[in-house]
């Protein structure tokens, strides 16, 4: 009776924790957990998606064949309301021990199936524990804590959560640094490698300082017949720099989003707290300054000054779009605030005449890839009416003889990208072409909402730091027209994907949100739209398979020796 009372109290506290913010106790040896809804609920969700994407008898029979021995489709004796969790417990060895927790009755056929598969089982306080190693059960000293974690409401239908903590982070950081040292083992003719190792390892140390202030990181997925949502999230320790950042204000109405069209492959809008970003930026600069030499410190001082200059002008809002025309980028964006020409030019001069060249010159990642970047800032790129337009030309050179650059061919050894920017009505605007700049200047000067504007694509949600929409038809067909010109085999794919533009595919939508010490990102895809794309792919694959079979038969017929004539 005492154990049942403790278990009930633990579950009650877990439920109250969802309302009051009380954190559920996490056992010290718990490394991670993968949480699922009950088997019936989970397989019902999976099948609701499968029936839309691939309807037919084969889809209906496959789970029966795979899961029939576990009780599919109704799973008799297994709770339909309780979650099932897979716990990863620190056992002191390299690999964690795995224990599965579920509410399974004595009459469930699952027990017989698992016994046949030689799984270890243990019943505790109405819960069934499963493991392939019976010693793992001894690692569970507080079952009530695991039951409470299992009962917690998750952000996704299926969630994999990894608990961090300083000790785990230190161990992982040490392993990453060892991997870097092994990858950069110096040779007798290369004395610079020890310095490169130290640089790479400092990046690991910087990332570890961030991770130490996180309680957990998770990935997850939601399933329904209408939508699949994939996402990730993290919870920071309250009052740490990361916790303060994850609790900052974000979202709301974004006026600049009404001034720019959403036409293109992707459109987005953002609203963040400039003060919160700058406070965290100061923390990162301070942390990095302790890990670098005098040259690095001087770079960070210039970088911090530039960011403070930008923060004085920005109100934290922006909106933009990205697309392609004849495989050339069409990019446009508007940034809200109180920008001036002089301040923008001064900031750009520091960024592209000093900071960026020094960064690309000294960071080994870019040098190892054989890439050389040059930046040219043009303060007199042109005018739109009385609006001065500036440009930035970025040239990327790659060495085709360098074996560290995968897939580089001579015609790809130099790429040039030009972006244009201007200040209009104290807003900063940027585009990838002068023609786009003229349109955007006119929109901002008019100050009226444009047709199909970016803001109309979204709801003004509190906490939404970044929201985006992806045109799935444009995304599916991107690059295929150019590929079709280079390879006739790709023409069929290009034609089919271009036809999808007439199929009214629902857009993919995504967001990054902050609040209550948590950061969350998500991307939602329409299941009926996935089904349309899958159908086109299957039709092309079937057609190509038939053509290959026909060609093979014709080849075999021509190679077959002529039959000898009768005597």
């Amino acid at each position: 009776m005492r154990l049942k009372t403790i278990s009930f109290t633990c579950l009650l506290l877990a439920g109250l924790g969802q309302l009051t913010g009380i954190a559920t106790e996490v056992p010290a040896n718990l490394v991670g957990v993968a949480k699922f809804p009950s088997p019936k609920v989970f397989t019902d969700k999976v099948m609701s998606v499968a029936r839309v994407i691939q309807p037919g008898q084969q889809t209906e029979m496959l789970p029966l064949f795979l899961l029939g021995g576990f009780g599919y489709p109704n799973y008799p004796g297994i709770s339909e309301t309780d979650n099932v969790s897979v716990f990863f417990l620190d056992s002191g060895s390299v690999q964690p021990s795995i224990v599965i927790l579920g509410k399974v009755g004595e009459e469930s056929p699952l027990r017989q199936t698992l016994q046949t598969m030689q799984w270890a089982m243990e019943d505790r306080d109405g819960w069934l524990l499963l493991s392939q190693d019976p010693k793992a059960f001894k690692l569970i000293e507080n079952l009530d804590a695991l039951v409470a974690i299992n009962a917690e409401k998750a952000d996704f239908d299926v969630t994999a959560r990894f608990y961090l903590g300083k000790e785990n982070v230190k161990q992982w950081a040490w392993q990453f640094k060892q991997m870097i040292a092994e990858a950069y083992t110096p040779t007798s003719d290369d004395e610079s490698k020890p310095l490169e190792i130290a640089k790479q390892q400092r990046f690991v140390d910087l990332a570890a300082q961030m991770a130490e202030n996180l309680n957990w990181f998770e990935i997850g997925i939601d399933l329904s017949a209408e939508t699949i949502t994939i996402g990730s999230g993290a919870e920071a320790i309250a009052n740490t720099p990361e916790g303060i950042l994850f609790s900052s204000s974000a979202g709301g109405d974004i006026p600049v989003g009404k001034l720019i069209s959403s036409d293109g492959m992707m459109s987005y809008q953002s609203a963040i707290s400039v003060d919160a970003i700058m406070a965290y930026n100061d923390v990162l600069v301070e942390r990095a300054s302790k890990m670098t030499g005098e040259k690095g410190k001087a770079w960070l001082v210039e970088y911090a000054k530039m960011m403070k200059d930008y923060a004085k002008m920005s109100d934290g809002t922006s909106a933009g779009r990205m697309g392609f025309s004849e495989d050339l980028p069409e990019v446009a964006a508007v940034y809200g605030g109180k920008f001036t020409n002089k301040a923008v030019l001064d900031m750009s001069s520091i960024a592209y005449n000093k900071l960026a060249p020094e960064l690309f010159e000294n960071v080994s990642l870019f040098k190892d890839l054989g890439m050389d970047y040059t930046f040219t800032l043009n303060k007199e790129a042109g005018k739109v009416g009385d609006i001065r337009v500036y440009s930035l030309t970025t040239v990327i050179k790659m060495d085709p003889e360098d074996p560290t650059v995968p897939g580089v061919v001579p015609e790809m050894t130099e790429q040039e990208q030009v972006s244009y920017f201007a200040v209009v009505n104290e807003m900063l605007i940027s585009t990838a072409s002068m023609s786009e700049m003229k349109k955007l200047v006119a929109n901002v000067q008019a100050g009226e909402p444009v047709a199909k504007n970016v803001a109309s694509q979204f709801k003004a949600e509190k906490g939404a730091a970044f929201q985006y929409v992806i045109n799935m038809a444009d995304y599916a067909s991107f690059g295929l027209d150019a590929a079709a010109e280079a390879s006739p085999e790709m023409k069929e794919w290009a034609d089919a994907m271009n036809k999808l533009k007439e199929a009214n595919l629902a857009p993919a939508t995504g967001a990054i949100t902050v609040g209550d010490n948590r950061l969350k990102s998500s991307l939602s895809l329409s299941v009926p739209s996935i089904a349309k794309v899958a159908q086109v792919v299957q039709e092309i694959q079937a057609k190509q398979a038939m053509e290959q079979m026909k060609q093979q038969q014709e080849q075999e017929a021509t190679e077959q020796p002529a039959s000898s004539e009768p005597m």
Side-chain angles (χ1 to χ4, degrees), residues 17 43 47 50 136 144 221 255 258 266 275 311 316 357 477 500 513 523 527:
T43 52
M47 289 303 296
D144 292 316
I221 184 169
K258 300 173 183 178
M266 174 188 174
D275 290 341
S477 61
L500 282 173
T513 60
L523 171 64
V527 174

Side-chain angles (χ1 to χ4, degrees), residues 30-31 162-169 172 210-217 234-235:
L30 183 59
V31 178
F162 309 93
Y163 295 97
L164 300 178
K166 290 189 177 182
E167 292 305 316
N168 286 337
V169 171
W172 294 335
M210 302 178 198
E212 284 179 358
N213 289 333
L214 301 181
N215 287 320
W216 46 257
F217 168 80
E235 182 183 79

Side-chain angles (χ1 to χ4, degrees), residues 87-159:
F87 293 100
F88 299 86
L89 302 163
D90 184 5
S91 59
S93 60
V94 177
Q95 297 295 331
S97 295
I98 298 175
V99 175
I100 302 174
L101 172 78
K103 186 66 72 77
V104 182
E106 293 287 346
E107 73 282 9
S108 172
L110 174 65
R111 289 177 177 266
Q112 183 63 41
T113 301
L114 292 173
Q115 284 179 348
T116 303
M117 298 171 64
Q118 297 185 334
W119 277 70
M121 293 184 286
E122 181 177 311
D123 287 286
R124 286 196 202 177
D125 196 21
W127 294 91
L128 178 64
L129 301 176
L130 304 170
S131 180
Q132 291 186 319
D133 178 11
K135 296 179 182 177
F137 299 141
K138 296 180 180 179
L139 298 173
I140 301 176
E141 297 179 355
N142 188 349
L143 177 66
D144 292 316
L146 299 188
V147 170
I149 291 171
N150 182 62
E152 274 186 323
K153 187 180 185 318
D155 290 329
F156 303 97
D157 291 334
V158 179
T159 303

Side-chain angles (χ1 to χ4, degrees), residues 38-51:
S38 70
K40 177 170 174 50
V41 172
F42 178 57
T43 52
D44 283 350
K45 284 179 174 289
V46 172
M47 289 303 296
S48 71
V49 174
R51 288 176 180 129

Side-chain angles (χ1 to χ4, degrees), residues 29 50 80 92 96 116 133 142 162 187 196 210 220 232 238 257 266 279 341 365 369 371 423 450 516 518-519 528 562:
N29 65 343
E80 293 187 17
T116 303
D133 178 11
N142 188 349
F162 309 93
T187 58
E196 296 301 330
M210 302 178 198
S232 61
M266 174 188 174
N341 283 294
L365 171 64
L369 289 176
M371 295 182 178
V423 176
V450 300
D516 298 328
R518 292 190 180 187
L519 172 74

